[in-house]
Amino acid sequence: GMAVPAALQRSVVAPAGRHTASLIFLHGSGDTGQGVRAWIKQILNQDMAFQHIKVIYPTAPLRPYTPMKGASSNVWFDRYKISNNCPEHIESIDSMCQRLTDLINDEVKNGIAKNRILIGGFSMGGGMAMHLAYRFHQELSGVFALSSFLSKDSAVYQALKRNESVLPELFQCHGTADALVLYSWGEETNKMLKSLGVSTSFHTFPEFNHELSRTELEQLKTWIIKKLPVEVAKTN
């Protein structure tokens, strides 16, 4: 039969107390789970950690990446070029959706309900998270996308045009001076998702380039706790 791909490598921040919710954070292109965790830790002067939420930073496997002339990179999917006006490399997106579904299922097997799981990421990681949640896992609690975008004719939009169910809320952030993923691409993605029935918020960071900021991460943490509140222990 088919060889089953190995589980994705991951860096995990365990909850301080009882684990009742999970957060999956997807890094940007060329980074690793360990790398983005360290970057966040440097900005916040501590890990992004919670009392009840396990934080999982998976690493994308190495694959040839067309924008780097086919050199190997840790990317969630391939792109023909970095533009919002170009078709999606759907084959690589869909195969990674399978791999990340395995990660979600691991949490479900550990007793975490799907509506107690949040997924998001930085740059390409945010794009990946939107595909995963809005096309395949609409029961998730929410999605966040930091400095991210979807192509104009994204498969995400096609899926939502046919959709009837309640969708995960989207928390999006973007710097106005982003030279890699243009602010207008992020803004357009947000407007498009909103028009297709997604409840969205869009946070603008003036003068910020393609980076993470402390304010942004603090706002993200507040939103995470709002979406995944501490559960009161049920007494028998």
Side-chain angles (χ1 to χ4, degrees):
M2 290 280 288
V4 179
L8 297 168
Q9 287 184 309
R10 58 197 85 164
S11 180
V12 176
V13 183
R18 195 168 70 93
H19 175 209
T20 66
S22 295
L23 169 69
I24 299 168
F25 194 116
L26 305 178
H27 63 74
S29 59
D31 202 353
T32 62
Q34 199 67 48
V36 75
R37 175 184 173 177
W39 187 22
I40 289 170
K41 193 172 181 172
Q42 184 195 341
I43 296 167
L44 295 175
N45 293 317
Q46 59 184 14
D47 262 317
M48 186 163 73
F50 303 90
Q51 190 58 32
H52 60 297
I53 306 167
K54 174 186 185 182
V55 185
I56 306 161
Y57 295 100
T59 294
L62 279 170
R63 62 155 298 133
Y65 188 46
T66 303
M68 286 172 52
K69 298 187 167 54
S72 280
S73 187
N74 294 97
V75 288
W76 298 110
F77 49 86
D78 198 9
R79 281 194 174 123
Y80 300 105
K81 59 175 195 276
I82 300 171
S83 160
N84 74 335
N85 216 352
C86 143
E88 291 174 324
H89 193 286
I90 203 70
E91 184 191 355
S92 61
I93 291 172
D94 286 359
S95 82
M96 187 50 63
C97 282
Q98 289 281 180
R99 306 278 302 265
L100 289 164
T101 292
D102 292 343
L103 188 60
I104 291 170
N105 290 342
D106 283 350
E107 294 310 294
V108 173
K109 281 182 203 124
N110 287 332
I112 305 301
K114 262 178 135 181
N115 66 2
R116 296 284 292 166
I117 299 173
L118 259 181
I119 185 153
F122 175 71
S123 194
M124 175 186 259
M128 186 74 236
M130 291 187 276
H131 274 273
L132 189 64
Y134 294 121
R135 293 176 57 214
F136 301 106
H137 298 283
Q138 296 181 347
E139 319 88 306
L140 293 173
S141 167
V143 184
F144 60 93
L146 315 175
S147 312
S148 307
F149 75 102
L150 291 170
S151 299
K152 283 187 195 294
D153 62 348
S154 178
V156 174
Y157 303 149
Q158 309 313 317
L160 294 184
K161 279 173 186 157
R162 301 186 294 273
N163 176 67
E164 298 297 312
S165 59
V166 178
L167 297 161
E169 187 184 324
L170 174 69
F171 177 94
Q172 211 178 330
C173 297
H174 218 109
T176 59
D178 195 325
L180 183 70
V181 174
L182 302 186
Y183 177 79
S184 60
W185 302 354
E187 199 177 32
E188 194 177 297
T189 298
N190 193 279
K191 282 193 180 126
M192 196 64 194
L193 289 170
K194 194 176 207 141
S195 75
L196 292 166
V198 178
S199 157
T200 71
S201 59
F202 189 75
H203 306 265
T204 297
F205 292 82
E207 308 308 313
F208 263 85
N209 198 334
H210 197 66
E211 57 193 316
L212 290 172
S213 78
R214 188 174 181 132
T215 319
E216 173 183 28
L217 291 173
E218 295 293 1
Q219 285 180 15
L220 175 63
K221 279 188 74 170
T222 303
W223 180 77
I224 289 166
I225 292 167
K226 191 184 91 189
K227 298 306 295 177
L228 301 174
V230 176
E231 280 184 339
V232 180
K234 294 169 189 72
T235 50
N236 295 336

